[in-house]
Amino acid sequence: MEQKKTYITGFDGLRALAVAFVILYHLFVYQFKGGFMGVLIFFVLSGYLVTSSIIREWTTTGRLDLLNFYWRRIRRLYPALVGVLAATLGYIAFFQRSLLVHIRGAVISNLCGVYNWYEIAHHQSYFARFGVQSPFTHLWFMAIQFQFLVIWPFLMVFLFKFLRERRGALFFSLVGLALLSALLMAVLYQPGKDPSRVYYGTDTRIFAVFIGAALAVIWPLNRLKARLDWGRRTAFDLLGFGALVVVVIMCGFCDDERPWLYRGGMLLFCIATAVLIAMVAHPGADMNRALSNRIFTWIGQRSYGIYLYQYPVMVLFEAKVNVATHPVIYALIEIALILVISDVSYHLIEKPIARIKWGQIRSTIREFFKRHSRYGWRRLALVPVLALLAVGLYGFCSPAPKQPNPENGSQALQQAIQKNQQAVNKHNAALAHGKSGQQAANASQQTSGPKLPASIRLTSAEQQQAQKMKITAVGDSVLADSSAALQKIFPQMFINAKVGRQVDQAIPVLQDLKKQGKLNGPLLVVEGTNGPFTDDQMKQIMQLAGNRPVYWVNVHVPTRPWQNEVNTKLTASKKKYKNLTIINWYKFSNGHTDWFYADNVHPNPYGLNFFSNFVAKQILKHH
């Protein structure tokens, strides 16, 4: 017996869980490592609902009204998207103009529904924990949604006609397409390298949508029985609860860089999500009621706006506030801002446009502008909407700054790091071939710079000691930024630095250096900028170091919540490992914003004089 189409409140619960996982991942990436998979819930649910709609219309009328299909989706998706683009552009134009660089390309590609490929073409990393971040990074998800909605009706009509509406054949065709996409993800994924290409790609992510579409074929909403016997109802509830547990556990604990996730793990997650959706959709089971409550419904109805606004709010807020001082409090403030802005967008943009009867648009416009219109004071809501569009247009047309102060530009930092890496490679090669004598002496010559405080100024004896001292340094972008300055003081220093390196990624580097016999002298570690570390990771590093002195520079990264966690853990580790010395760069540099680039993390050319001499003084003092 067929049922009429009904609104399933449990789907709002799924949307609420999905957007909550994503937000928690972005706010507390090291506590909710798998939260990024919340987008897969959206993908599977979208595939299920859109395909169900197409099948229902096709089986009822024998045709598909493409114009109506596209118009409904445009009306649903584009207004809020334009709103977030306009609001973000306006804010950037007035308060953070440095982000206007390349902003037009990002906006246009978003409006055209190809932003994920724009990110791939510009080598933008989704998993970079630090650096200048685009407030639109998360919109790769919307691009795949748009591409799916454009292509899917045509593909479904083709499959219906080619397979003559045989549901079994249609189901296996969609499963085959899903497996092909998941296989492509597994093949293109390269362990140890940034997985952003496979993460962003439509070809490697569309399997989630196909799984939802396949479910719609064998689990049609309008053919599910409202009543089940006790045995089947209990089985469905247990199956739904089990799938929910799998989804929650994977979103909470799966690491975004683990190879198994890209080699079948995400596919398994989508299958579990499909099972959960099936149980929520069934009117005879209890999962719909379990995921239905006022809070979930409120969040679920606004989940689209919440997803759109969450990343711009985080990026722009954290660029202005030192969130490391009170990470939990600031996270709550960010969540509150996201919810408030999303609710305003829901009432001013999404709901009003959804209620417009487009077949009567002319009469609606005439009525709206009548002197005694039935809309009354509600017409005032148009004022903030027009103002939003105006500031967005202003931001879009505003010229990007030409970085008048190169020391504050991210481009200057990137160029400095690139230049340093080239110099370090040559220096390391010279050390490997024993050609460091005269080169080292030349490199150690003091260059002119600011007058340093006596506490970090190197004496002649210390300079001579530093010239002869063999030392190995491993670290992240802070070390890459300061490598040339450090090698001027320590000509015998061998440096291995990489932008974005995590503490756990430093372990195999140290293992290789030890095997190659390049782990000489004391060990300098400049790590923690990109995230915290575990006790086991610290243990592995100290075991690789052996009895040699280890000097670890703590972090100054006030715009990230893990700053205090890293520094506190380093202080605690010092008590456990007697050969570990913590170089307290955070305390020494705190408050000296003029020492840093705009990110307030990497020392600028002026600050490098303080950084390199401070680090050198501490090493020489304790050696």
Side-chain angles (χ1 to χ4, degrees), residues 284-297:
D286 296 304
M287 286 306 297
N288 181 46
R289 286 185 288 275
L291 290 174
S292 297
N293 57 63
R294 290 184 178 180
I295 296 176
F296 276 7
T297 297

Side-chain angles (χ1 to χ4, degrees), residues 40 148-149 190 205 248 300 311 342 389 416 467 483 488 539:
L40 292 174
F148 161 67
L149 292 172
Q190 299 180 44
R205 298 305 301 271
V248 171
Y311 209 65
S342 302
L389 293 175
Q467 290 178 29
S483 55
K488 285 181 180 179
K539 181 180 178 180

Side-chain angles (χ1 to χ4, degrees), residues 226-238 284-286:
R227 294 185 179 181
L228 295 173
D229 58 62
W230 181 86
R232 292 184 67 186
R233 180 174 176 175
T234 302
F236 280 8
D237 289 345
L238 290 175
D286 296 304

Side-chain angles (χ1 to χ4, degrees), residues 98-110:
S98 61
L99 290 179
L100 286 174
V101 179
H102 307 307
I103 200 75
R104 292 190 186 91
V107 171
I108 292 172
S109 58
N110 266 300

Side-chain angles (χ1 to χ4, degrees), residues 179-240:
L179 292 176
L180 183 63
S181 173
L183 178 62
L184 187 60
M185 170 180 273
V187 170
L188 292 180
Y189 173 76
Q190 299 180 44
K193 293 188 177 181
D194 191 314
S196 293
R197 161 60 184 91
V198 295
Y199 191 85
Y200 286 138
T202 307
D203 51 351
T204 52
R205 298 305 301 271
I206 201 67
F207 65 84
V209 182
F210 286 153
I211 288 174
L215 175 65
V217 174
I218 61 170
W219 204 261
L221 284 170
N222 59 342
R223 295 187 179 183
L224 300 176
K225 295 181 179 179
R227 294 185 179 181
L228 295 173
D229 58 62
W230 181 86
R232 292 184 67 186
R233 180 174 176 175
T234 302
F236 280 8
D237 289 345
L238 290 175
L239 193 59

Side-chain angles (χ1 to χ4, degrees), residues 53-218:
S53 174
I54 292 173
I55 292 175
R56 184 167 52 249
E57 183 175 348
W58 181 269
T59 54
T60 303
T61 65
R63 59 185 294 272
L64 181 62
D65 188 345
L66 287 174
L67 186 62
N68 183 52
F69 175 88
Y70 287 129
W71 183 241
R72 291 202 312 269
R73 270 68 194 184
I74 289 173
R75 188 175 64 180
R76 170 72 181 92
L77 299 177
Y78 260 92
L81 177 64
V82 171
V84 73
L85 292 175
T88 306
L89 278 170
Y91 179 91
I92 289 173
F94 285 107
F95 303 108
Q96 208 166 336
R97 294 184 64 83
S98 61
L99 290 179
L100 286 174
V101 179
H102 307 307
I103 200 75
R104 292 190 186 91
V107 171
I108 292 172
S109 58
N110 266 300
L111 294 175
C112 294
V114 293
Y115 183 61
N116 61 323
W117 294 109
Y118 177 89
E119 290 187 297
I120 291 172
H122 288 78
H123 307 288
Q124 295 184 17
S125 174
Y126 182 80
F127 299 97
R129 304 297 184 224
F130 192 84
V132 178
Q133 296 176 301
S134 167
F136 302 138
T137 297
H138 66 310
L139 295 181
W140 68 271
F141 165 78
M142 294 308 306
I144 293 180
Q145 286 277 42
F146 286 148
Q147 293 160 38
F148 161 67
L149 292 172
V150 169
I151 298 171
W152 199 237
F154 292 100
L155 183 58
M156 283 299 296
V157 169
F158 170 78
L159 290 174
F160 261 114
K161 290 186 175 181
F162 180 75
L163 299 174
R164 299 179 181 178
E165 301 185 30
R166 290 177 295 177
R167 289 183 179 263
L170 181 58
F171 171 77
F172 285 111
S173 296
L174 296 176
V175 169
L177 290 172
L179 292 176
L180 183 63
S181 173
L183 178 62
L184 187 60
M185 170 180 273
V187 170
L188 292 180
Y189 173 76
Q190 299 180 44
K193 293 188 177 181
D194 191 314
S196 293
R197 161 60 184 91
V198 295
Y199 191 85
Y200 286 138
T202 307
D203 51 351
T204 52
R205 298 305 301 271
I206 201 67
F207 65 84
V209 182
F210 286 153
I211 288 174
L215 175 65
V217 174
I218 61 170

Side-chain angles (χ1 to χ4, degrees), residues 334-348:
E334 290 177 76
I335 291 173
L337 286 172
I338 292 166
L339 294 179
V340 169
I341 294 172
S342 302
D343 188 53
V344 171
S345 173
Y346 180 71
H347 287 289
L348 285 184

